[in-house]
Amino acid sequence: MCGIVGYIGKNKKALNVLINGLKHLEYRGYDSSGIAYIKDNSLIIKKTVGRINDLEKIIDNDDYAYIGIGHTRWATHGIVNKVNSHPHKCKHITIVHNGIIENYQELKNKLIDKGYTFKSDTDTEVAAVLLEYLYEKNNDILLSIKEFKQKVSGAYAIALICDKEKDTLYAIKKNSPLIIGLGKDENFIASDVPAIIEYTNKYITLNDGDYAKITKEEVFIFDNDNKQVNYNIKTFEGNASEINKNGFDHFMLKEIYEQPAVVRRMISLNSVPDISRYKQILIVACGSAMHAGLVGKYLLETYVDKPVIVEIASEFRYKKLFIDKNTLVIAISQSGETADTLEAVKVAKKHKCRTLGIINVPESSIAREVDYVIYTEAGSEIAVATTKAYIAQVLVLAKLAYRNCAIKDLKEINNFQISLKKLPVIMEEILSLDKKVKQIAKVLSKQRDIFYIGRGIDYAISMEASLKVKEISYIHSDAYAAGELKHGTISLIEKNTPVIGIVTDQKIASKTISNLKEVKARGANVIYLTTKELDSEGDFYDYKIIIKNINPLLDPILTIIPLQLIAYYVALERGCDIDKPKNLAKSVTVE
Ligand code: F6R
């Protein structure tokens, strides 16, 4: 997690580039931040607890620097405080780091034995001290980096300044993302493109094991075998407006409203593969991406007629596996950097499985690791809570189910392409329900708990709706299979406990409605979300949201929209920091 940025050049004030870049990387972590730069031949470090806005307050805007590195932190080793925040410096070497040095304690002990002392509890300071120790021995940074890589295990994207080489930046990458942005008489280092897109759309993605020496005119890249290599220059095709709020109060709301446009873009999405030769499908993912996988399980089992298992990536990695070349492993990830999902793909490959990635960020680690990738084309997603990337993942899975459908002559299947074209307009109609949603959100925002129930595909959607509300509003919430409630959870229902019932599947609608009646009889405040087709009157609900349905393969995309809006407006009512919920980060690159 954590975001890193670096600048060297003569065109701009390094401090502006660093602060601006860090603001665009805050989604990666935002508990503390810092920068290091060279001014009048001296290295200056400024760091603070809090957001980039807080860092800005302690920086002297008149400081001119042509070289600098910056960091926004999501704490892993050591509490959130100024000492633990980056950059970390040991004599000549100053670094910022994203990732985890796994053998840091062992290295630290050895360095202490050699007489070094430590100020912080971080693994990063150990990396800085080790680099300094090697530099003192070798008097050569590149050689020291080479030896550093041999000694260190774990994940690291590092930007480094040596105060004896004031015209050079160094970068090192293993298992954490790092790019080098290319400008004219200036170059950049960043965890991700948004940090540099205002200045250049040309960049190089470093591979695992690579390291680089960067001056304002030149970039030299060395591979894992320490050979200088040529590199591919990529062009970022998106634009800077994607990383601005464009008049919305929050990125999350902007991204919810962008969803029809995402679907329009994806209608003509390149082909999805034929998966008929596999005996079973295994989906690995985390959080909302795993919830998209659960929707996919329902669609693929129903229409492709194959068993589908959904595994939480962090569990999959460590369990006994019954998979082989007849299993297709689908990894779903917005960032393409989630450590557990990436490792799950590597495990699957060791078991000789073919791997398919459903990924949003081009050229990300998982996209490069899988055998076949389908890009979701949701564009940059900045809000920590995913919305548009989630619906894009569900859409890819729906397309996969349609393309591989084993059940012929189904009306809904025949209508799929027509329904897909109509989908964005219906999504826009649902977005216009936001007055009703705000009224419900106001009631929910005062509650201690919110429960979501549904059966089948509605249960999968309930899980995503529940995660959305709890992560951004901090209200406790859980999702239950509606039939399971009376096996324990119903004891939690009291007068006015909110229960949101999702009822979109005709085959089981009456069953879920019975469950809603059971909670209503025990005092619950019932919010009934259903489709025009299934709408039924009764005294079992307090509020009702009716949405259009269009096609069973695409309806989950419609169902989640009012639930995303509810989560957003509940959090807004409670005055929460919606785009950056506490303790979270957008890209979870640690286990
Ligand atoms: C919740 C959310 C997370 C992510 C999860 C996986 O709103 O965004 O649960 O879905 O951390 O992230 P990716 O998709 O980047 O692998």
Side-chain angles (χ1 to χ4, degrees), residues 286-290 332-338 341 366 381 384-386 393 464 467-468 471 585-588:
C286 303
S288 293
M290 191 271 293
I332 307 177
S333 176
Q334 186 287 127
S335 62
E337 299 296 345
T338 301
T341 310
I366 303 174
E381 193 178 60
V384 164
T386 183
Q393 290 158 354
E464 173 57 9
L467 175 60
K468 216 80 303 168
E471 72 178 318
K586 182 87 183 148
S587 181
V588 186

Side-chain angles (χ1 to χ4, degrees), residues 419-462:
S419 306
L420 186 54
K421 289 208 174 93
K422 290 187 189 155
L423 185 64
V425 175
I426 301 176
M427 292 169 81
E428 275 152 4
E429 282 174 29
I430 294 177
L431 284 167
S432 70
L433 289 174
D434 88 337
K435 193 165 164 219
K436 177 99 186 223
V437 163
K438 279 180 191 158
Q439 184 197 1
I440 295 169
K442 208 174 182 125
V443 176
L444 295 181
S445 66
K446 300 184 179 64
Q447 302 300 318
R448 192 190 54 189
D449 310 292
I450 303 175
F451 296 106
Y452 291 79
I453 63 169
R455 287 170 183 253
I457 200 158
D458 292 332
Y459 174 42
I461 297 167
S462 298

